[in-house]
Amino acid sequence: MTTSPLPPSLVAPGGTVGILGGGQLGRMLTLAAAELGLKTHIYTPDSKSPAGQVANSVTQAGFEDEAALLQFAQSVDIVTYEFENIPLEVTSYLQNHVAILPDPQALAIAQDRLAEKTFLQQNGIATAPFAEVSADHSIEQAIEHIGCPAVLKTRRLGYDGKGQRVIRESKEAPGAWKSLAKAPALLEAFIDFGCEISVIAARGQDGAIACYDIAENIHANHILHQTFVPARVSNTIAQAALKTATDIIRKLNYVGVMGIEMFANLPGPDAPHLLMVNEIAPRVHNSGHWTSDACPVSQFEQHMRAICGWPLGSTTRTHNAVMTNLLGEEWRRWQTYAQTPNTSLHLYGKQDTRPGRKMGHVTQLLPLVE
Ligand code: AMP
Protein backbone atom coordinates (compact mmCIF):
# COMPACT_ATOMS: atom_id res chain seq x y z
CA MET A 1 0.00 0.00 0.00
CA THR A 2 1.31 3.46 -0.82
CA THR A 3 0.35 6.27 1.47
CA SER A 4 1.03 9.95 0.88
CA PRO A 5 4.25 11.39 2.35
CA LEU A 6 3.93 12.34 5.99
CA PRO A 7 4.02 16.05 6.79
CA PRO A 8 6.96 17.23 8.86
CA SER A 9 6.37 18.63 12.31
CA LEU A 10 8.27 19.97 15.28
CA VAL A 11 11.06 17.77 16.60
CA ALA A 12 11.82 18.97 20.12
CA PRO A 13 15.00 18.44 22.17
CA GLY A 14 15.20 14.75 23.04
CA GLY A 15 13.85 13.82 19.60
CA THR A 16 15.82 11.78 17.09
CA VAL A 17 16.92 12.80 13.61
CA GLY A 18 17.70 9.97 11.20
CA ILE A 19 20.49 10.72 8.74
CA LEU A 20 20.98 8.80 5.50
CA GLY A 21 24.74 8.59 4.95
CA GLY A 22 27.63 8.42 7.38
CA GLY A 23 30.31 10.73 5.97
CA GLN A 24 31.87 13.85 7.43
CA LEU A 25 28.80 15.93 6.70
CA GLY A 26 26.73 13.49 8.73
CA ARG A 27 29.32 13.66 11.48
CA MET A 28 29.17 17.46 11.67
CA LEU A 29 25.35 17.39 11.51
CA THR A 30 25.39 14.90 14.38
CA LEU A 31 27.68 17.08 16.50
CA ALA A 32 25.42 20.09 15.87
CA ALA A 33 22.34 18.05 16.74
CA ALA A 34 23.93 17.02 20.03
CA GLU A 35 24.48 20.70 20.88
CA LEU A 36 20.73 21.23 20.48
CA GLY A 37 19.83 18.27 22.69
CA LEU A 38 18.75 16.18 19.71
CA LYS A 39 19.76 12.58 19.07
CA THR A 40 20.87 11.15 15.74
CA HIS A 41 20.58 7.76 14.11
CA ILE A 42 22.89 7.17 11.14
CA TYR A 43 21.97 4.81 8.32
CA THR A 44 25.03 3.76 6.35
CA PRO A 45 26.47 0.67 4.68
CA ASP A 46 29.90 1.66 6.06
CA SER A 47 31.07 -0.15 9.21
CA LYS A 48 33.48 2.60 10.32
CA SER A 49 31.68 5.72 9.21
CA PRO A 50 32.79 9.17 10.44
CA ALA A 51 29.21 9.97 11.52
CA GLY A 52 28.57 6.56 13.11
CA GLN A 53 31.45 7.15 15.53
CA VAL A 54 29.67 10.10 17.16
CA ALA A 55 25.94 9.34 16.71
CA ASN A 56 23.55 7.90 19.30
CA SER A 57 22.75 4.93 17.10
CA VAL A 58 23.80 3.43 13.80
CA THR A 59 22.14 1.06 11.38
CA GLN A 60 24.80 -0.53 9.24
CA ALA A 61 22.91 -1.86 6.26
CA GLY A 62 22.60 -1.50 2.52
CA PHE A 63 20.08 0.86 0.95
CA GLU A 64 18.26 -2.11 -0.58
CA ASP A 65 17.51 -3.63 2.85
CA GLU A 66 13.80 -2.82 3.35
CA ALA A 67 13.58 -4.43 6.78
CA ALA A 68 16.47 -2.30 8.04
CA LEU A 69 15.00 0.82 6.43
CA LEU A 70 11.63 0.17 8.10
CA GLN A 71 13.22 -0.26 11.52
CA PHE A 72 15.24 2.89 10.96
CA ALA A 73 12.14 4.87 9.93
CA GLN A 74 10.27 3.67 13.02
CA SER A 75 13.07 4.67 15.37
CA VAL A 76 13.37 8.33 14.33
CA ASP A 77 11.19 11.46 14.31
CA ILE A 78 12.39 12.80 10.98
CA VAL A 79 14.85 11.77 8.27
CA THR A 80 17.38 13.89 6.43
CA TYR A 81 20.35 13.06 4.21
CA GLU A 82 23.97 14.08 3.88
CA PHE A 83 24.75 12.98 0.30
CA GLU A 84 22.97 13.25 -3.01
CA ASN A 85 23.18 9.84 -4.54
CA ILE A 86 20.58 8.13 -2.43
CA PRO A 87 18.35 5.94 -4.62
CA LEU A 88 14.96 7.65 -4.92
CA GLU A 89 13.25 4.29 -4.27
CA VAL A 90 14.75 4.48 -0.77
CA THR A 91 13.31 7.90 -0.03
CA SER A 92 9.92 6.92 -1.54
CA TYR A 93 9.81 3.84 0.67
CA LEU A 94 10.82 5.75 3.79
CA GLN A 95 8.26 8.49 3.11
CA ASN A 96 5.48 6.00 3.75
CA HIS A 97 6.66 5.80 7.34
CA VAL A 98 8.39 9.03 8.28
CA ALA A 99 8.78 12.62 7.03
CA ILE A 100 11.93 13.40 5.02
CA LEU A 101 13.37 16.88 4.75
CA PRO A 102 14.56 18.38 2.49
CA ASP A 103 11.82 17.01 0.23
CA PRO A 104 13.40 14.33 -2.00
CA GLN A 105 12.21 16.17 -5.11
CA ALA A 106 15.34 18.30 -4.57
CA LEU A 107 17.39 15.08 -4.70
CA ALA A 108 15.71 14.05 -7.95
CA ILE A 109 16.75 17.38 -9.48
CA ALA A 110 20.28 17.40 -8.10
CA GLN A 111 20.98 13.79 -9.11
CA ASP A 112 20.49 14.52 -12.79
CA ARG A 113 22.42 17.40 -14.36
CA LEU A 114 19.89 17.69 -17.18
CA ALA A 115 16.94 17.95 -14.75
CA GLU A 116 18.95 20.42 -12.67
CA LYS A 117 19.86 22.75 -15.55
CA THR A 118 16.34 22.47 -17.01
CA PHE A 119 14.79 23.37 -13.65
CA LEU A 120 17.07 26.40 -13.37
CA GLN A 121 16.43 27.53 -16.93
CA GLN A 122 12.65 27.16 -16.51
CA ASN A 123 12.84 29.41 -13.48
CA GLY A 124 14.78 32.14 -15.25
CA ILE A 125 18.09 31.39 -13.53
CA ALA A 126 21.20 31.75 -15.70
CA THR A 127 23.35 28.66 -16.34
CA ALA A 128 25.98 27.80 -18.92
CA PRO A 129 24.25 27.12 -22.26
CA PHE A 130 23.71 23.36 -22.46
CA ALA A 131 22.48 20.60 -24.75
CA GLU A 132 21.49 17.00 -24.10
CA VAL A 133 23.72 14.18 -25.41
CA SER A 134 22.22 10.69 -25.67
CA ALA A 135 21.48 7.93 -28.16
CA ASP A 136 18.77 10.22 -29.58
CA HIS A 137 20.61 13.53 -29.28
CA SER A 138 23.98 13.22 -30.99
CA ILE A 139 27.17 14.79 -29.68
CA GLU A 140 27.69 16.34 -33.14
CA GLN A 141 24.33 18.16 -32.92
CA ALA A 142 25.18 19.31 -29.39
CA ILE A 143 28.57 20.68 -30.50
CA GLU A 144 26.92 22.49 -33.39
CA HIS A 145 24.51 24.09 -30.95
CA ILE A 146 26.95 24.91 -28.11
CA GLY A 147 30.25 25.38 -29.94
CA CYS A 148 33.78 24.88 -28.58
CA PRO A 149 35.36 24.88 -26.09
CA ALA A 150 32.79 22.88 -24.18
CA VAL A 151 32.51 20.56 -21.19
CA LEU A 152 30.87 17.18 -21.53
CA LYS A 153 29.41 15.88 -18.26
CA THR A 154 27.56 12.66 -17.51
CA ARG A 155 24.04 13.35 -16.30
CA ARG A 156 24.42 11.20 -13.23
CA LEU A 157 27.04 10.28 -10.62
CA GLY A 158 29.49 13.01 -11.51
CA TYR A 159 31.26 14.79 -8.65
CA ASP A 160 34.68 16.30 -8.00
CA GLY A 161 35.26 16.40 -11.77
CA LYS A 162 34.49 12.71 -12.31
CA GLY A 163 32.52 11.93 -15.47
CA GLN A 164 33.69 15.11 -17.22
CA ARG A 165 35.70 15.91 -20.36
CA VAL A 166 36.76 19.28 -21.72
CA ILE A 167 36.37 19.45 -25.51
CA ARG A 168 38.60 22.04 -27.18
CA GLU A 169 37.85 21.19 -30.82
CA SER A 170 34.79 19.56 -32.34
CA LYS A 171 36.80 16.64 -33.67
CA GLU A 172 37.53 15.55 -30.07
CA ALA A 173 33.84 15.27 -29.25
CA PRO A 174 32.99 11.69 -30.33
CA GLY A 175 36.10 10.34 -28.54
CA ALA A 176 35.23 12.28 -25.40
CA TRP A 177 31.73 10.83 -25.27
CA LYS A 178 33.10 7.34 -25.94
CA SER A 179 35.51 7.75 -23.02
CA LEU A 180 32.45 8.39 -20.82
CA ALA A 181 31.03 5.04 -21.99
CA LYS A 182 28.44 6.96 -24.04
CA ALA A 183 26.47 7.53 -20.86
CA PRO A 184 23.57 10.01 -21.10
CA ALA A 185 25.29 13.37 -20.83
CA LEU A 186 25.10 17.12 -21.06
CA LEU A 187 27.31 19.34 -23.18
CA GLU A 188 27.91 22.74 -21.61
CA ALA A 189 29.61 25.80 -23.06
CA PHE A 190 32.98 26.32 -21.39
CA ILE A 191 32.58 29.43 -19.23
CA ASP A 192 35.53 31.76 -18.88
CA PHE A 193 34.64 32.82 -15.35
CA GLY A 194 36.70 34.95 -12.98
CA CYS A 195 35.91 32.99 -9.84
CA GLU A 196 33.75 30.26 -8.38
CA ILE A 197 31.49 31.25 -5.53
CA SER A 198 28.88 29.54 -3.44
CA VAL A 199 25.92 30.52 -1.35
CA ILE A 200 24.84 28.46 1.63
CA ALA A 201 21.13 29.13 1.97
CA ALA A 202 18.58 27.85 4.46
CA ARG A 203 14.79 27.80 4.55
CA GLY A 204 12.76 26.92 7.63
CA GLN A 205 9.45 25.08 7.87
CA ASP A 206 7.83 28.51 8.35
CA GLY A 207 9.23 29.73 4.99
CA ALA A 208 11.86 32.02 6.53
CA ILE A 209 15.05 32.19 4.46
CA ALA A 210 18.57 32.98 5.64
CA CYS A 211 21.77 33.02 3.58
CA TYR A 212 25.37 33.12 4.72
CA ASP A 213 27.84 35.54 3.11
CA ILE A 214 29.09 34.61 -0.34
CA ALA A 215 32.17 32.39 -0.23
CA GLU A 216 34.80 31.95 -2.92
CA ASN A 217 36.10 28.50 -3.76
CA ILE A 218 39.44 27.34 -5.10
CA HIS A 219 39.57 23.85 -6.60
CA ALA A 220 42.66 21.72 -7.14
CA ASN A 221 42.33 18.70 -9.44
CA HIS A 222 38.54 19.30 -9.43
CA ILE A 223 38.35 18.87 -5.64
CA LEU A 224 37.55 21.80 -3.36
CA HIS A 225 40.81 22.90 -1.78
CA GLN A 226 40.02 26.26 -0.15
CA THR A 227 37.04 28.45 0.60
CA PHE A 228 37.40 32.01 1.73
CA VAL A 229 35.01 34.69 2.85
CA PRO A 230 34.28 37.30 1.80
CA ALA A 231 34.42 36.41 -1.90
CA ARG A 232 36.15 38.96 -4.13
CA VAL A 233 32.99 39.80 -6.06
CA SER A 234 31.33 43.20 -6.45
CA ASN A 235 28.40 44.13 -4.27
CA THR A 236 26.15 43.87 -7.35
CA ILE A 237 27.22 40.28 -8.00
CA ALA A 238 26.95 39.40 -4.31
CA GLN A 239 23.39 40.74 -4.15
CA ALA A 240 22.46 38.94 -7.37
CA ALA A 241 23.92 35.69 -6.04
CA LEU A 242 21.91 35.97 -2.82
CA LYS A 243 18.74 36.67 -4.81
CA THR A 244 19.42 33.68 -7.07
CA ALA A 245 19.91 31.37 -4.08
CA THR A 246 16.76 32.70 -2.45
CA ASP A 247 14.75 32.20 -5.66
CA ILE A 248 15.95 28.58 -5.98
CA ILE A 249 15.23 27.61 -2.40
CA ARG A 250 11.81 29.28 -2.50
CA LYS A 251 10.81 27.77 -5.87
CA LEU A 252 11.55 24.31 -4.46
CA ASN A 253 9.61 24.95 -1.24
CA TYR A 254 12.78 23.62 0.24
CA VAL A 255 13.31 23.05 3.96
CA GLY A 256 16.91 22.70 5.16
CA VAL A 257 20.32 23.93 4.06
CA MET A 258 21.38 23.97 0.43
CA GLY A 259 24.73 24.74 -1.20
CA ILE A 260 24.53 26.59 -4.53
CA GLU A 261 27.68 26.81 -6.63
CA MET A 262 28.03 29.59 -9.18
CA PHE A 263 30.46 31.01 -11.71
CA ALA A 264 31.06 34.76 -11.41
CA ASN A 265 33.36 37.54 -12.48
CA LEU A 266 35.89 39.43 -10.42
CA PRO A 267 35.35 43.18 -10.24
CA GLY A 268 37.19 45.24 -12.84
CA PRO A 269 36.58 48.16 -15.17
CA ASP A 270 35.99 45.91 -18.21
CA ALA A 271 34.51 42.89 -16.43
CA PRO A 272 31.10 41.97 -17.83
CA HIS A 273 28.43 40.95 -15.33
CA LEU A 274 28.73 37.17 -15.12
CA LEU A 275 26.71 35.04 -12.73
CA MET A 276 25.64 31.50 -13.59
CA VAL A 277 24.57 28.63 -11.40
CA ASN A 278 26.70 25.53 -11.94
CA GLU A 279 25.31 23.14 -9.37
CA ILE A 280 22.88 22.84 -6.49
CA ALA A 281 23.53 20.50 -3.58
CA PRO A 282 20.46 19.75 -1.43
CA ARG A 283 22.45 19.37 1.77
CA VAL A 284 25.06 21.04 3.91
CA HIS A 285 28.08 21.80 1.78
CA ASN A 286 31.87 21.67 2.03
CA SER A 287 32.09 25.34 1.06
CA GLY A 288 30.04 26.20 4.18
CA HIS A 289 32.37 24.61 6.74
CA TRP A 290 33.74 28.03 7.68
CA THR A 291 30.34 28.85 9.24
CA SER A 292 31.19 26.49 12.15
CA ASP A 293 33.87 28.92 13.29
CA ALA A 294 32.90 32.31 11.86
CA CYS A 295 29.14 32.53 12.52
CA PRO A 296 26.96 32.27 15.63
CA VAL A 297 24.98 29.42 14.04
CA SER A 298 26.79 27.00 11.72
CA GLN A 299 25.27 25.53 8.56
CA PHE A 300 24.97 22.22 10.45
CA GLU A 301 22.97 23.70 13.33
CA GLN A 302 20.95 25.68 10.80
CA HIS A 303 20.02 22.51 8.93
CA MET A 304 18.91 20.83 12.15
CA ARG A 305 16.89 23.89 13.15
CA ALA A 306 15.21 24.05 9.73
CA ILE A 307 14.20 20.40 9.42
CA CYS A 308 13.10 20.17 13.05
CA GLY A 309 10.76 23.16 12.65
CA TRP A 310 12.79 25.49 14.84
CA PRO A 311 13.42 29.17 14.02
CA LEU A 312 16.46 29.73 11.81
CA GLY A 313 19.52 31.12 13.57
CA SER A 314 21.82 34.05 12.88
CA THR A 315 23.99 33.84 9.77
CA THR A 316 25.94 36.99 10.62
CA ARG A 317 29.64 36.55 9.94
CA THR A 318 31.89 37.58 12.83
CA HIS A 319 35.26 37.06 11.07
CA ASN A 320 36.86 36.75 7.70
CA ALA A 321 37.81 33.12 7.23
CA VAL A 322 39.87 30.74 5.13
CA MET A 323 38.86 27.09 5.18
CA THR A 324 41.35 24.56 3.81
CA ASN A 325 40.46 20.94 3.20
CA LEU A 326 43.01 18.44 4.46
CA LEU A 327 43.20 16.08 1.51
CA GLY A 328 44.95 12.71 1.64
CA GLU A 329 48.13 12.63 3.76
CA GLU A 330 47.87 16.34 4.70
CA TRP A 331 45.96 15.54 7.92
CA ARG A 332 49.13 13.95 9.34
CA ARG A 333 50.39 17.52 9.88
CA TRP A 334 47.67 17.89 12.53
CA GLN A 335 50.20 18.94 15.20
CA THR A 336 51.33 21.86 13.04
CA TYR A 337 47.74 22.92 12.43
CA ALA A 338 46.97 22.52 16.12
CA GLN A 339 49.70 25.11 16.85
CA THR A 340 48.64 27.62 14.19
CA PRO A 341 47.17 30.77 15.73
CA ASN A 342 43.48 31.55 15.18
CA THR A 343 42.97 28.22 13.50
CA SER A 344 40.53 25.47 14.35
CA LEU A 345 41.18 21.88 13.36
CA HIS A 346 38.43 19.44 12.36
CA LEU A 347 39.34 15.80 11.73
CA TYR A 348 36.78 13.31 10.47
CA GLY A 349 38.02 10.06 12.05
CA LYS A 350 38.39 8.30 8.69
CA GLN A 351 40.25 5.01 8.94
CA ASP A 352 41.91 4.92 5.53
CA THR A 353 43.93 7.74 4.04
CA ARG A 354 43.70 7.89 0.25
CA PRO A 355 45.03 10.53 -2.19
CA GLY A 356 42.52 13.36 -2.55
CA ARG A 357 40.24 11.99 0.19
CA LYS A 358 38.76 14.62 2.50
CA MET A 359 40.25 13.68 5.88
CA GLY A 360 39.55 16.93 7.72
CA HIS A 361 39.70 20.69 7.39
CA VAL A 362 41.15 23.73 9.11
CA THR A 363 39.59 27.16 9.36
CA GLN A 364 41.74 30.20 9.95
CA LEU A 365 39.90 33.19 11.37
CA LEU A 366 40.98 36.70 10.40
CA PRO A 367 39.73 40.12 11.47
CA LEU A 368 36.41 41.07 9.92
CA VAL A 369 37.13 43.22 6.85
CA GLU A 370 34.72 43.61 3.93
P1 AMP B 1 31.01 20.24 -11.56
O1 AMP B 1 31.21 18.77 -11.43
O2 AMP B 1 29.93 20.63 -12.49
O3 AMP B 1 30.92 20.92 -10.21
O4 AMP B 1 32.36 20.81 -12.19
C1 AMP B 1 33.62 20.70 -11.52
C2 AMP B 1 34.46 21.91 -11.86
O5 AMP B 1 34.71 21.95 -13.28
C3 AMP B 1 33.80 23.25 -11.54
O6 AMP B 1 34.00 23.59 -10.21
C4 AMP B 1 34.52 24.16 -12.52
O7 AMP B 1 35.79 24.52 -12.03
C5 AMP B 1 34.71 23.29 -13.75
N1 AMP B 1 33.57 23.47 -14.69
C6 AMP B 1 32.39 22.83 -14.64
N2 AMP B 1 31.56 23.24 -15.61
C7 AMP B 1 32.23 24.18 -16.31
C8 AMP B 1 31.91 25.00 -17.44
N3 AMP B 1 30.73 24.91 -18.07
N4 AMP B 1 32.86 25.87 -17.88
C9 AMP B 1 34.06 25.97 -17.27
N5 AMP B 1 34.42 25.21 -16.21
C10 AMP B 1 33.54 24.33 -15.72
Side-chain angles (χ1 to χ4, degrees), residues 7-345:
S9 56
L10 184 77
V11 181
T16 303
V17 177
I19 302 176
L20 297 170
Q24 65 268 17
L25 300 177
R27 179 182 177 102
M28 289 182 270
L29 283 169
T30 290
L31 296 172
E35 287 287 331
L36 299 177
L38 294 160
K39 300 188 185 108
T40 50
H41 183 157
I42 302 295
Y43 192 106
T44 175
D46 181 358
S47 61
K48 302 174 198 152
S49 73
Q53 294 168 31
V54 294
N56 297 80
S57 27
V58 185
T59 296
Q60 191 212 329
F63 286 110
E64 69 298 328
D65 186 339
E66 282 203 355
L69 285 170
L70 179 61
Q71 255 188 6
F72 169 72
Q74 288 171 341
S75 73
V76 300
D77 297 299
I78 192 158
V79 167
T80 191
Y81 42 88
E82 60 102 54
F83 74 111
E84 269 111 296
N85 290 318
I86 299 160
L88 293 177
E89 304 82 63
V90 169
T91 51
S92 301
Y93 176 77
L94 287 172
Q95 273 185 305
N96 294 326
H97 306 283
V98 64
I100 304 186
L101 286 176
D103 189 300
Q105 68 149 334
L107 274 182
I109 290 174
Q111 283 179 358
D112 177 356
R113 290 186 195 272
L114 181 62
E116 180 179 53
K117 292 265 152 56
T118 306
F119 161 78
L120 294 167
Q121 193 182 54
Q122 283 171 349
N123 286 288
I125 290 159
T127 67
F130 64 93
E132 184 178 353
V133 176
S134 66
D136 298 330
H137 299 81
S138 74
I139 178 96
E140 288 81 6
Q141 272 173 321
I143 287 279
E144 213 165 286
H145 183 57
I146 299 298
C148 280
V151 188
L152 184 66
K153 303 178 177 180
T154 55
R155 278 174 65 171
R156 291 180 176 277
L157 298 175
Y159 64 96
D160 290 347
K162 294 188 174 72
Q164 271 192 40
R165 298 287 181 272
V166 174
I167 298 174
R168 303 263 162 217
E169 294 178 63
S170 54
K171 64 173 192 240
E172 297 166 10
W177 193 37
K178 206 169 159 200
S179 74
L180 296 176
K182 295 196 174 182
L186 199 68
L187 187 76
E188 281 182 20
F190 188 92
I191 305 302
D192 188 16
F193 51 78
C195 61
E196 295 188 70
I197 59 173
S198 55
V199 182
I200 305 298
R203 185 170 172 276
Q205 283 193 29
D206 59 358
I209 293 177
C211 295
Y212 292 91
D213 281 355
I214 316 284
E216 185 170 337
N217 300 318
I218 308 292
H219 294 86
N221 300 321
H222 294 285
I223 299 172
L224 182 66
H225 173 51
Q226 270 189 334
T227 296
F228 54 90
V229 269
R232 293 170 297 165
V233 291
S234 67
N235 196 35
T236 313
I237 295 246
Q239 291 309 317
L242 292 173
K243 180 174 183 314
T244 299
T246 305
D247 286 349
I248 292 172
I249 205 164
R250 189 177 284 138
K251 285 267 161 29
L252 285 170
N253 251 336
Y254 188 88
V255 175
V257 165
M258 174 183 273
I260 301 145
E261 295 183 90
M262 307 182 195
F263 299 144
N265 255 354
L266 294 170
D270 304 321
H273 179 91
L274 175 83
L275 185 69
M276 291 174 172
V277 173
N278 179 42
E279 212 164 45
I280 63 174
R283 53 170 171 77
V284 287
H285 196 256
N286 193 170
S287 69
H289 289 1
W290 61 272
T291 62
S292 294
D293 302 295
C295 296
V297 171
S298 72
Q299 62 164 346
F300 305 103
E301 177 177 341
Q302 193 78 301
H303 186 74
M304 285 295 152
R305 284 170 172 248
I307 64 168
C308 290
W310 298 24
L312 294 184
S314 167
T315 54
T316 305
R317 182 167 55 83
T318 56
H319 293 82
N320 284 12
V322 181
M323 187 287 307
T324 305
N325 274 335
L326 303 180
L327 302 173
E329 298 292 336
E330 190 61 26
W331 75 271
R332 296 195 197 280
R333 297 181 59 227
W334 61 271
Q335 281 168 307
T336 304
Y337 290 117
Q339 290 173 49
T340 310
N342 301 320
T343 298
S344 65
L345 175 62

